[in-house]
Amino acid sequence: MPYGLTLASAPASEPLTLAEAKKQVELATEYTAHDEHLLRLVTAARQYAEEYTGRAFVTQTWDFTLDKWPMAKGDHTIWLPKAPLQSVTYVKYYDGDGMQQTWNSSNYIVRSNRQPGGVSLAYDAKWPTIRYQPDSIVVRFVAGYGARTSIPEALKAAMLLLVAHWFEHREEVAVGSTTTQIPMAAQSLLDQWRVGDEFLAYSDEVL
């Protein structure tokens, strides 16, 4: 089922420092000519790695929107497509009168011990009646490992490989040599941390 995912609050820092990027590409600390370019590559590497793995690295906040409540094979869980899940700020919905309501947190359980995490109905609770319209439901959640220093080293290593590869190969095609867009070593590292999205296959039943 289609869903919306919007960044509400960006991470406060990147997973890699400029010094780490310079060391990876073997540039002296005092050499600053490529600093701006390297910082862009660090951000690009983080964005690529997060998208590829389905994860968030440094703490960030997202809005996940749905048109209806989930009803896939009896699974009444809103799975959130960014791991690891830290917390859920709120669950809001438009009621039958078109008024946005904040659902009481006592009605649901935040499953932060799963990857991906999600929001499940509490015991004996039911999804509230909604107005059937686009983006009728929004779940604001916080995801990520915390600070930069808490990110697994394998993910940092993959990003460093990406930065070095893109720094060396600044064109998509290099005449007279064989290049790849993503180094195999980086992909192998990221594959170990990839979270699937099959959990988002909700049914078409409307509640």
Side-chain angles (χ1 to χ4, degrees):
M1 185 179 79
Y3 63 88
L5 188 62
T6 305
L7 182 64
S9 179
S13 65
E14 294 294 344
L16 303 175
T17 65
L18 178 60
E20 288 172 323
K22 280 187 167 183
K23 184 177 180 180
Q24 183 70 16
V25 300
E26 299 181 341
L27 283 180
T29 303
E30 62 272 15
Y31 186 74
T32 61
H34 296 294
D35 284 6
E36 186 176 347
H37 180 54
L38 279 171
L39 288 172
R40 284 197 298 266
L41 292 181
V42 166
T43 300
R46 187 259 303 171
Q47 290 173 339
Y48 178 88
E50 287 182 329
E51 183 67 23
Y52 186 86
T53 60
R55 294 179 179 274
F57 296 164
V58 177
T59 298
Q60 50 201 257
T61 303
W62 291 84
D63 285 340
F64 181 75
T65 53
L66 290 169
D67 298 343
K68 56 194 174 185
W69 302 113
M71 282 287 291
K73 300 179 181 179
D75 184 3
H76 293 229
T77 299
I78 300 175
W79 297 110
L80 301 169
K82 287 288 181 183
L85 174 64
Q86 290 187 25
S87 62
V88 171
T89 306
Y90 57 68
V91 177
K92 293 187 177 184
Y93 65 95
Y94 286 93
D95 63 19
D97 296 324
M99 301 296 293
Q100 191 176 50
Q101 306 289 343
T102 300
W103 206 31
N104 194 300
S105 60
S106 64
N107 292 308
Y108 57 85
I109 298 169
V110 177
R111 303 176 70 173
S112 57
N113 61 333
R114 302 288 185 94
Q115 293 196 24
V119 176
S120 294
L121 286 172
Y123 178 74
D124 219 22
K126 295 181 179 180
W127 299 120
T129 301
I130 62 171
R131 170 173 285 193
Y132 186 52
Q133 65 181 41
D135 299 334
S136 186
I137 302 156
V138 57
V139 181
R140 174 162 289 188
F141 67 96
V142 180
Y145 290 96
R148 177 181 60 81
T149 53
S150 300
I151 299 168
E153 289 300 321
L155 295 174
K156 287 186 178 181
M159 285 183 282
L160 285 170
L161 288 169
L162 289 173
V163 168
H165 179 77
W166 289 334
F167 185 79
E168 182 179 355
H169 303 287
R170 304 190 193 188
E171 302 294 335
E172 186 173 359
V173 176
V175 177
S177 64
T178 301
T179 61
T180 56
Q181 291 184 329
I182 301 300
M184 185 178 297
Q187 184 171 333
S188 297
L189 287 168
L190 294 176
D191 280 343
Q192 301 176 54
W193 294 85
R194 199 167 190 179
V195 177
D197 60 359
E198 62 275 3
F199 57 91
L200 291 171
Y202 301 139
S203 75
D204 290 330
E205 181 176 350
V206 178
L207 295 183

